[in-house]
Amino acid sequence: MHEARTRFRYRNGQLRPVKRRGKTAAAAERALKRALVQKSKEVAGKKINGDTRFGHVMDLWLADFKAKVERGERAHKSLYDYRDTLKHLRKHMSELTCREAEDAGMCDETLKTIRKDTAGGTRGKSGYSAATRAKTVLSHVCGYAVRHGAMMTNPVRSVETIENGDQEPILVLEPDQRADFIAKLRAECEARAGNKKLGPRAQAWLDLPDLAEVMLATGARPGEALAMIGSDVEPTKRTALIGHHLVRVEGQGIERKVLRKGRRKAINPMYPSWAAPTFNRRKIAAGKGAMFPTWNGQWQDPSNVSKRLNAVCEAIGYGWVSARMYRHTVGTHIVDQGGTNEDAADQLGNTPAMVQKHYRRPKITNTKTAEALESLMDAPDTGS
């Protein structure tokens, strides 16, 4: 058996070895030339087939997804998340041919390895989220390969279901914690803002308690609350329009995008009277601009705001509170007060099923059911 080898320069500038075998030296050379022709087509962006490297298909799919983002059909954050996920997939599958990557067992093994590699770290991560996102991205890439004739079937459809094990409990700020939390949050933020070295940047700390109240009063996500402008608030009706969200766009900074996170339609919920002073004060200060601007009048970065909130919560003894728990608290409180999942869904701008699964803490002790059980052993009324 003879082997012919050379090096090939890929689009990213890397030189990698290419080798092919044959029964004779001439046969090995012919096989190598065929491989080089195929790789040249890849670099030129031409038609893909079963012998195309799977890493090249990943590149093509990502470019296609990026074009959809630029047309406003997909979210910028999804592009960033999926690009990071592809880094995990490339480690295991980029050098495979599409024909080799079509093996469901290979895909299944890759997803399990990604879950294992991403487990641990902060907050006891199990790797579940990374594995499920990798499964989604891998399915999209394979779907692209199927549509362009490089695969016959999408192998991800046959991989084993990724189980979450024991789901994390839905944590909320309980009734006896809420006033205490806001009071301590405000005191800590005022103390941090008192640092004279911060100058006008101290406003970033003073914004946090008001932002927390706005999220607890509406159920808005951080990026949605930060996208609100003065005209979104209608004090006479006590309503706040939530119809935009903030995202970071590479090379452009923070931008205000139409619709809520996930391209969901705008909602216009009423806010409670206890939050009216905050909304009124913020509306007057904002005018036609942002209700929570940076010190120099720009949009705040939701990621940076969440980090500041986490730091303050840790300092005041509420380190377990994260941005999503304000939304959990709103959904849970509505149902605890006699509302339905549908009522909570209207406030949060979601579906009843999503409220039940993600935004409502199940009752451990339900007084209504206890009252109903009082009659369990009662003898039936025969009418005699």
Side-chain angles (χ1 to χ4, degrees):
M1 184 67 71
H2 294 262
E3 183 177 88
R5 64 178 66 184
T6 187
R7 291 196 300 169
F8 185 85
R9 185 181 180 88
Y10 288 92
R11 182 176 294 182
N12 61 6
Q14 288 185 328
L15 286 170
R16 294 182 179 177
V18 181
K19 53 188 177 181
R20 291 293 186 271
R21 292 182 177 183
K23 292 183 178 180
T24 64
E29 186 176 339
R30 287 195 297 271
L32 180 61
K33 288 180 178 179
R34 287 196 296 269
L36 294 175
V37 169
Q38 176 58 41
K39 291 184 181 296
S40 297
K41 289 182 179 180
E42 289 183 16
V43 172
K46 295 183 179 180
K47 185 178 179 181
I48 59 177
N49 57 40
D51 293 321
T52 303
R53 286 184 314 113
F54 197 57
H56 179 59
V57 180
M58 292 180 186
D59 293 335
L60 295 176
W61 172 82
L62 188 62
D64 183 65
F65 191 89
K66 184 177 180 180
K68 292 178 181 177
V69 171
E70 293 171 350
R71 294 196 298 268
E73 299 170 4
R74 298 292 187 274
H76 283 83
K77 188 175 186 305
S78 295
L79 173 62
Y80 307 147
D81 290 343
Y82 288 173
R83 189 167 57 196
D84 287 342
T85 297
L86 277 176
K87 293 178 182 178
H88 293 295
L89 291 168
R90 289 183 193 278
K91 292 179 182 178
H92 306 282
M93 302 184 69
S94 64
E95 296 303 319
L96 299 176
T97 65
C98 287
R99 187 173 292 106
E100 293 169 331
E102 197 172 0
D103 187 314
M106 167 64 70
C107 294
D108 189 71
E109 180 181 341
T110 297
L111 295 176
K112 289 178 178 177
T113 301
I114 290 174
R115 179 168 190 172
K116 180 181 179 181
D117 291 346
T118 56
T122 59
R123 295 179 184 259
K125 291 182 179 178
S126 65
Y128 170 79
S129 297
T132 52
R133 182 176 291 168
K135 182 178 179 180
T136 297
V137 174
L138 182 56
S139 181
H140 287 326
V141 175
C142 291
Y144 182 94
V146 170
R147 292 193 299 275
H148 290 80
M151 285 184 174
M152 296 298 292
T153 59
N154 188 334
V156 182
R157 295 177 179 175
S158 300
V159 302
E160 186 178 8
T161 300
I162 301 175
E163 302 288 350
N164 194 14
D166 294 331
Q167 285 188 314
E168 294 182 5
I170 298 176
L171 299 178
V172 305
L173 284 163
E174 300 296 348
D176 60 345
Q177 297 174 323
R178 296 164 193 171
D180 177 69
F181 171 75
I182 292 295
K184 289 180 178 177
L185 180 68
R186 195 170 294 279
E188 177 68 18
C189 288
E190 289 176 354
R192 294 189 179 217
N195 185 345
K196 295 181 180 180
K197 294 181 180 180
L198 292 176
R201 289 179 173 81
Q203 185 60 44
W205 293 107
L206 296 176
D207 286 338
L208 296 184
D210 284 356
L211 178 64
E213 285 195 5
V214 167
M215 291 191 291
L216 286 171
T218 61
R221 299 174 177 87
E224 295 167 350
L226 291 169
M228 294 174 65
I229 59 177
S231 58
D232 288 336
V233 178
E234 180 52 70
T236 58
K237 298 179 180 179
R238 277 213 334 259
T239 58
L241 178 65
I242 304 172
H244 295 78
H245 68 287
L246 300 182
V247 296
R248 174 173 288 282
V249 179
E250 286 185 345
Q252 300 179 44
I254 305 299
E255 291 191 3
R256 185 177 189 247
K257 297 292 185 180
V258 178
L259 302 179
R260 297 181 298 123
K261 181 181 178 182
R263 300 182 58 79
R264 296 178 178 89
K265 294 181 180 179
I267 56 176
N268 197 27
M270 288 185 66
Y271 53 82
S273 59
W274 56 261
T278 297
F279 276 97
N280 293 344
R281 174 163 40 81
R282 284 285 170 175
K283 176 181 174 65
I284 294 172
K288 296 181 180 179
M291 285 180 58
F292 295 96
T294 61
W295 66 275
N296 58 350
Q298 305 299 311
W299 298 109
Q300 291 206 53
D301 186 336
S303 177
N304 290 341
V305 171
S306 293
K307 290 177 182 177
R308 282 195 290 272
L309 270 172
N310 290 341
V312 176
C313 288
E314 190 71 39
I316 63 176
Y318 284 89
W320 52 272
V321 174
S322 62
R324 66 180 182 274
M325 290 174 193
Y326 302 96
R327 196 165 166 82
H328 293 176
T329 301
V330 172
T332 295
H333 184 73
I334 289 173
V335 177
D336 284 354
Q337 293 300 304
T340 64
N341 286 339
E342 286 78 8
D343 295 328
D346 288 340
Q347 181 72 25
L348 299 176
N350 224 310
T351 64
M354 288 294 288
V355 168
Q356 178 69 27
K357 184 176 181 180
H358 296 291
Y359 297 120
R360 173 198 164 193
R361 186 253 299 117
K363 291 183 179 180
I364 299 175
T365 303
N366 191 323
T367 56
K368 289 185 177 180
T369 57
E371 292 170 0
L373 289 172
E374 286 294 332
S375 62
L376 183 77
M377 300 299 291
D378 290 354
D381 186 356
T382 60
S384 55

mmCIF file of all heavy atoms in Angstrom, residues 59-86:
data_model
loop_
_atom_site.group_PDB
_atom_site.id
_atom_site.type_symbol
_atom_site.label_atom_id
_atom_site.label_comp_id
_atom_site.label_asym_id
_atom_site.label_seq_id
_atom_site.Cartn_x
_atom_site.Cartn_y
_atom_site.Cartn_z
ATOM 1 N N ASP A 59 -19.200 26.219 8.949
ATOM 2 C CA ASP A 59 -18.917 27.587 8.519
ATOM 3 C C ASP A 59 -20.022 28.121 7.614
ATOM 4 O O ASP A 59 -20.464 29.273 7.751
ATOM 5 C CB ASP A 59 -17.584 27.648 7.779
ATOM 6 C CG ASP A 59 -16.391 27.346 8.685
ATOM 7 O OD1 ASP A 59 -16.521 27.549 9.913
ATOM 8 O OD2 ASP A 59 -15.354 26.914 8.163
ATOM 9 N N LEU A 60 -20.465 27.293 6.678
ATOM 10 C CA LEU A 60 -21.511 27.712 5.743
ATOM 11 C C LEU A 60 -22.826 27.975 6.467
ATOM 12 O O LEU A 60 -23.517 28.964 6.188
ATOM 13 C CB LEU A 60 -21.709 26.638 4.671
ATOM 14 C CG LEU A 60 -20.533 26.389 3.732
ATOM 15 C CD1 LEU A 60 -20.850 25.235 2.788
ATOM 16 C CD2 LEU A 60 -20.209 27.648 2.934
ATOM 17 N N TRP A 61 -23.168 27.083 7.397
ATOM 18 C CA TRP A 61 -24.408 27.281 8.149
ATOM 19 C C TRP A 61 -24.340 28.557 8.982
ATOM 20 O O TRP A 61 -25.308 29.330 9.026
ATOM 21 C CB TRP A 61 -24.682 26.085 9.063
ATOM 22 C CG TRP A 61 -25.842 26.353 9.977
ATOM 23 C CD1 TRP A 61 -27.170 26.230 9.672
ATOM 24 C CD2 TRP A 61 -25.778 26.828 11.334
ATOM 25 N NE1 TRP A 61 -27.936 26.605 10.760
ATOM 26 C CE2 TRP A 61 -27.110 26.978 11.774
ATOM 27 C CE3 TRP A 61 -24.738 27.146 12.190
ATOM 28 C CZ2 TRP A 61 -27.423 27.431 13.061
ATOM 29 C CZ3 TRP A 61 -25.042 27.604 13.474
ATOM 30 C CH2 TRP A 61 -26.365 27.730 13.895
ATOM 31 N N LEU A 62 -23.205 28.798 9.647
ATOM 32 C CA LEU A 62 -23.069 29.991 10.483
ATOM 33 C C LEU A 62 -23.167 31.261 9.646
ATOM 34 O O LEU A 62 -23.793 32.246 10.066
ATOM 35 C CB LEU A 62 -21.731 29.963 11.229
ATOM 36 C CG LEU A 62 -21.544 31.052 12.296
ATOM 37 C CD1 LEU A 62 -22.594 30.906 13.395
ATOM 38 C CD2 LEU A 62 -20.146 30.980 12.892
ATOM 39 N N ALA A 63 -22.588 31.245 8.460
ATOM 40 C CA ALA A 63 -22.686 32.403 7.567
ATOM 41 C C ALA A 63 -24.129 32.638 7.141
ATOM 42 O O ALA A 63 -24.589 33.786 7.057
ATOM 43 C CB ALA A 63 -21.796 32.187 6.339
ATOM 44 N N ASP A 64 -24.855 31.555 6.902
ATOM 45 C CA ASP A 64 -26.263 31.653 6.530
ATOM 46 C C ASP A 64 -27.087 32.216 7.698
ATOM 47 O O ASP A 64 -27.960 33.061 7.508
ATOM 48 C CB ASP A 64 -26.786 30.270 6.122
ATOM 49 C CG ASP A 64 -28.225 30.307 5.641
ATOM 50 O OD1 ASP A 64 -28.476 30.928 4.596
ATOM 51 O OD2 ASP A 64 -29.100 29.729 6.313
ATOM 52 N N PHE A 65 -26.779 31.762 8.912
ATOM 53 C CA PHE A 65 -27.490 32.245 10.096
ATOM 54 C C PHE A 65 -27.189 33.724 10.333
ATOM 55 O O PHE A 65 -28.079 34.511 10.687
ATOM 56 C CB PHE A 65 -27.099 31.420 11.320
ATOM 57 C CG PHE A 65 -27.953 31.666 12.522
ATOM 58 C CD1 PHE A 65 -29.117 30.930 12.724
ATOM 59 C CD2 PHE A 65 -27.624 32.639 13.450
ATOM 60 C CE1 PHE A 65 -29.932 31.161 13.827
ATOM 61 C CE2 PHE A 65 -28.415 32.876 14.559
ATOM 62 C CZ PHE A 65 -29.582 32.137 14.751
ATOM 63 N N LYS A 66 -25.936 34.114 10.122
ATOM 64 C CA LYS A 66 -25.549 35.514 10.297
ATOM 65 C C LYS A 66 -26.312 36.413 9.324
ATOM 66 O O LYS A 66 -26.736 37.521 9.677
ATOM 67 C CB LYS A 66 -24.046 35.671 10.087
ATOM 68 C CG LYS A 66 -23.539 37.077 10.351
ATOM 69 C CD LYS A 66 -22.032 37.156 10.196
ATOM 70 C CE LYS A 66 -21.534 38.574 10.467
ATOM 71 N NZ LYS A 66 -20.060 38.667 10.319
ATOM 72 N N ALA A 67 -26.505 35.934 8.097
ATOM 73 C CA ALA A 67 -27.265 36.709 7.110
ATOM 74 C C ALA A 67 -28.708 36.910 7.573
ATOM 75 O O ALA A 67 -29.300 37.981 7.372
ATOM 76 C CB ALA A 67 -27.235 35.996 5.757
ATOM 77 N N LYS A 68 -29.278 35.891 8.228
ATOM 78 C CA LYS A 68 -30.638 36.012 8.743
ATOM 79 C C LYS A 68 -30.699 37.025 9.887
ATOM 80 O O LYS A 68 -31.674 37.765 10.019
ATOM 81 C CB LYS A 68 -31.134 34.647 9.224
ATOM 82 C CG LYS A 68 -31.351 33.640 8.098
ATOM 83 C CD LYS A 68 -31.788 32.285 8.636
ATOM 84 C CE LYS A 68 -31.980 31.282 7.499
ATOM 85 N NZ LYS A 68 -32.334 29.934 7.992
ATOM 86 N N VAL A 69 -29.646 37.056 10.694
ATOM 87 C CA VAL A 69 -29.577 38.052 11.774
ATOM 88 C C VAL A 69 -29.544 39.453 11.188
ATOM 89 O O VAL A 69 -30.242 40.359 11.660
ATOM 90 C CB VAL A 69 -28.339 37.806 12.662
ATOM 91 C CG1 VAL A 69 -28.140 38.955 13.650
ATOM 92 C CG2 VAL A 69 -28.485 36.490 13.419
ATOM 93 N N GLU A 70 -28.746 39.644 10.157
ATOM 94 C CA GLU A 70 -28.621 40.958 9.534
ATOM 95 C C GLU A 70 -29.924 41.403 8.881
ATOM 96 O O GLU A 70 -30.186 42.604 8.761
ATOM 97 C CB GLU A 70 -27.490 40.928 8.510
ATOM 98 C CG GLU A 70 -26.107 40.750 9.152
ATOM 99 C CD GLU A 70 -25.013 40.504 8.146
ATOM 100 O OE1 GLU A 70 -25.347 40.283 6.952
ATOM 101 O OE2 GLU A 70 -23.825 40.534 8.537
ATOM 102 N N ARG A 71 -30.743 40.434 8.469
ATOM 103 C CA ARG A 71 -32.061 40.766 7.899
ATOM 104 C C ARG A 71 -33.124 40.952 8.975
ATOM 105 O O ARG A 71 -34.270 41.241 8.670
ATOM 106 C CB ARG A 71 -32.504 39.673 6.926
ATOM 107 C CG ARG A 71 -31.648 39.554 5.679
ATOM 108 C CD ARG A 71 -32.362 38.733 4.611
ATOM 109 N NE ARG A 71 -32.621 37.370 5.029
ATOM 110 C CZ ARG A 71 -31.831 36.337 4.817
ATOM 111 N NH1 ARG A 71 -30.684 36.527 4.175
ATOM 112 N NH2 ARG A 71 -32.152 35.120 5.214
ATOM 113 N N GLY A 72 -32.747 40.736 10.232
ATOM 114 C CA GLY A 72 -33.696 40.895 11.325
ATOM 115 C C GLY A 72 -34.564 39.680 11.561
ATOM 116 O O GLY A 72 -35.546 39.750 12.293
ATOM 117 N N GLU A 73 -34.198 38.537 10.961
ATOM 118 C CA GLU A 73 -34.999 37.321 11.099
ATOM 119 C C GLU A 73 -34.593 36.482 12.308
ATOM 120 O O GLU A 73 -35.340 35.613 12.746
ATOM 121 C CB GLU A 73 -34.863 36.475 9.825
ATOM 122 C CG GLU A 73 -35.356 37.189 8.576
ATOM 123 C CD GLU A 73 -35.006 36.446 7.303
ATOM 124 O OE1 GLU A 73 -34.447 35.327 7.406
ATOM 125 O OE2 GLU A 73 -35.267 36.965 6.207
ATOM 126 N N ARG A 74 -33.400 36.724 12.835
ATOM 127 C CA ARG A 74 -32.911 36.008 14.007
ATOM 128 C C ARG A 74 -32.258 37.018 14.955
ATOM 129 O O ARG A 74 -31.906 38.120 14.556
ATOM 130 C CB ARG A 74 -31.888 34.925 13.619
ATOM 131 C CG ARG A 74 -32.424 33.831 12.722
ATOM 132 C CD ARG A 74 -33.428 32.951 13.435
ATOM 133 N NE ARG A 74 -33.801 31.810 12.611
ATOM 134 C CZ ARG A 74 -34.770 31.832 11.692
ATOM 135 N NH1 ARG A 74 -35.464 32.964 11.471
ATOM 136 N NH2 ARG A 74 -35.055 30.753 10.989
ATOM 137 N N ALA A 75 -32.108 36.622 16.215
ATOM 138 C CA ALA A 75 -31.572 37.526 17.231
ATOM 139 C C ALA A 75 -30.046 37.518 17.235
ATOM 140 O O ALA A 75 -29.424 36.475 17.012
ATOM 141 C CB ALA A 75 -32.093 37.138 18.614
ATOM 142 N N HIS A 76 -29.455 38.686 17.524
ATOM 143 C CA HIS A 76 -28.004 38.775 17.616
ATOM 144 C C HIS A 76 -27.456 37.855 18.701
ATOM 145 O O HIS A 76 -26.416 37.221 18.529
ATOM 146 C CB HIS A 76 -27.584 40.219 17.912
ATOM 147 C CG HIS A 76 -27.648 41.120 16.720
ATOM 148 N ND1 HIS A 76 -28.821 41.718 16.320
ATOM 149 C CD2 HIS A 76 -26.690 41.500 15.828
ATOM 150 C CE1 HIS A 76 -28.582 42.455 15.236
ATOM 151 N NE2 HIS A 76 -27.313 42.338 14.921
ATOM 152 N N LYS A 77 -28.158 37.798 19.835
ATOM 153 C CA LYS A 77 -27.662 36.969 20.933
ATOM 154 C C LYS A 77 -27.597 35.501 20.531
ATOM 155 O O LYS A 77 -26.690 34.773 20.943
ATOM 156 C CB LYS A 77 -28.533 37.133 22.170
ATOM 157 C CG LYS A 77 -27.947 36.448 23.417
ATOM 158 C CD LYS A 77 -28.769 36.719 24.652
ATOM 159 C CE LYS A 77 -28.093 36.152 25.888
ATOM 160 N NZ LYS A 77 -27.793 34.717 25.790
ATOM 161 N N SER A 78 -28.565 35.056 19.726
ATOM 162 C CA SER A 78 -28.540 33.671 19.258
ATOM 163 C C SER A 78 -27.285 33.409 18.429
ATOM 164 O O SER A 78 -26.666 32.351 18.540
ATOM 165 C CB SER A 78 -29.790 33.366 18.429
ATOM 166 O OG SER A 78 -30.953 33.448 19.217
ATOM 167 N N LEU A 79 -26.903 34.394 17.617
ATOM 168 C CA LEU A 79 -25.699 34.244 16.802
ATOM 169 C C LEU A 79 -24.480 34.067 17.695
ATOM 170 O O LEU A 79 -23.657 33.168 17.459
ATOM 171 C CB LEU A 79 -25.514 35.468 15.903
ATOM 172 C CG LEU A 79 -24.207 35.527 15.105
ATOM 173 C CD1 LEU A 79 -24.104 34.357 14.139
ATOM 174 C CD2 LEU A 79 -24.102 36.859 14.361
ATOM 175 N N TYR A 80 -24.359 34.889 18.732
ATOM 176 C CA TYR A 80 -23.201 34.800 19.620
ATOM 177 C C TYR A 80 -23.203 33.468 20.386
ATOM 178 O O TYR A 80 -22.160 32.825 20.544
ATOM 179 C CB TYR A 80 -23.189 35.965 20.605
ATOM 180 C CG TYR A 80 -23.295 37.333 19.944
ATOM 181 C CD1 TYR A 80 -23.946 38.389 20.556
ATOM 182 C CD2 TYR A 80 -22.743 37.549 18.682
ATOM 183 C CE1 TYR A 80 -24.045 39.633 19.950
ATOM 184 C CE2 TYR A 80 -22.845 38.778 18.060
ATOM 185 C CZ TYR A 80 -23.497 39.820 18.687
ATOM 186 O OH TYR A 80 -23.600 41.042 18.077
ATOM 187 N N ASP A 81 -24.385 33.081 20.875
ATOM 188 C CA ASP A 81 -24.489 31.832 21.627
ATOM 189 C C ASP A 81 -24.153 30.634 20.739
ATOM 190 O O ASP A 81 -23.414 29.723 21.149
ATOM 191 C CB ASP A 81 -25.891 31.668 22.203
ATOM 192 C CG ASP A 81 -26.181 32.653 23.325
ATOM 193 O OD1 ASP A 81 -25.224 33.224 23.871
ATOM 194 O OD2 ASP A 81 -27.368 32.857 23.656
ATOM 195 N N TYR A 82 -24.705 30.619 19.536
ATOM 196 C CA TYR A 82 -24.489 29.483 18.637
ATOM 197 C C TYR A 82 -23.041 29.411 18.170
ATOM 198 O O TYR A 82 -22.482 28.330 17.985
ATOM 199 C CB TYR A 82 -25.419 29.573 17.433
ATOM 200 C CG TYR A 82 -26.873 29.295 17.746
ATOM 201 C CD1 TYR A 82 -27.869 29.477 16.793
ATOM 202 C CD2 TYR A 82 -27.263 28.851 19.006
ATOM 203 C CE1 TYR A 82 -29.199 29.214 17.078
ATOM 204 C CE2 TYR A 82 -28.591 28.594 19.299
ATOM 205 C CZ TYR A 82 -29.556 28.776 18.329
ATOM 206 O OH TYR A 82 -30.877 28.509 18.628
ATOM 207 N N ARG A 83 -22.425 30.560 17.979
ATOM 208 C CA ARG A 83 -21.027 30.576 17.563
ATOM 209 C C ARG A 83 -20.141 29.977 18.656
ATOM 210 O O ARG A 83 -19.200 29.227 18.364
ATOM 211 C CB ARG A 83 -20.597 32.009 17.243
ATOM 212 C CG ARG A 83 -19.221 32.107 16.598
ATOM 213 C CD ARG A 83 -18.999 33.483 16.026
ATOM 214 N NE ARG A 83 -19.155 34.523 17.041
ATOM 215 C CZ ARG A 83 -19.310 35.818 16.756
ATOM 216 N NH1 ARG A 83 -19.337 36.213 15.498
ATOM 217 N NH2 ARG A 83 -19.432 36.694 17.713
ATOM 218 N N ASP A 84 -20.455 30.310 19.914
ATOM 219 C CA ASP A 84 -19.702 29.717 21.021
ATOM 220 C C ASP A 84 -19.930 28.213 21.104
ATOM 221 O O ASP A 84 -19.005 27.442 21.389
ATOM 222 C CB ASP A 84 -20.120 30.370 22.345
ATOM 223 C CG ASP A 84 -19.579 31.785 22.490
ATOM 224 O OD1 ASP A 84 -18.631 32.124 21.759
ATOM 225 O OD2 ASP A 84 -20.118 32.542 23.309
ATOM 226 N N THR A 85 -21.174 27.799 20.858
ATOM 227 C CA THR A 85 -21.490 26.371 20.900
ATOM 228 C C THR A 85 -20.745 25.608 19.806
ATOM 229 O O THR A 85 -20.301 24.471 20.017
ATOM 230 C CB THR A 85 -23.007 26.164 20.746
ATOM 231 O OG1 THR A 85 -23.677 26.779 21.845
ATOM 232 C CG2 THR A 85 -23.363 24.682 20.716
ATOM 233 N N LEU A 86 -20.592 26.221 18.647
ATOM 234 C CA LEU A 86 -19.869 25.567 17.559
ATOM 235 C C LEU A 86 -18.422 25.261 17.946
ATOM 236 O O LEU A 86 -17.827 24.306 17.441
ATOM 237 C CB LEU A 86 -19.893 26.443 16.302
ATOM 238 C CG LEU A 86 -21.151 26.345 15.429
ATOM 239 C CD1 LEU A 86 -21.076 27.341 14.294
ATOM 240 C CD2 LEU A 86 -21.346 24.935 14.897
#
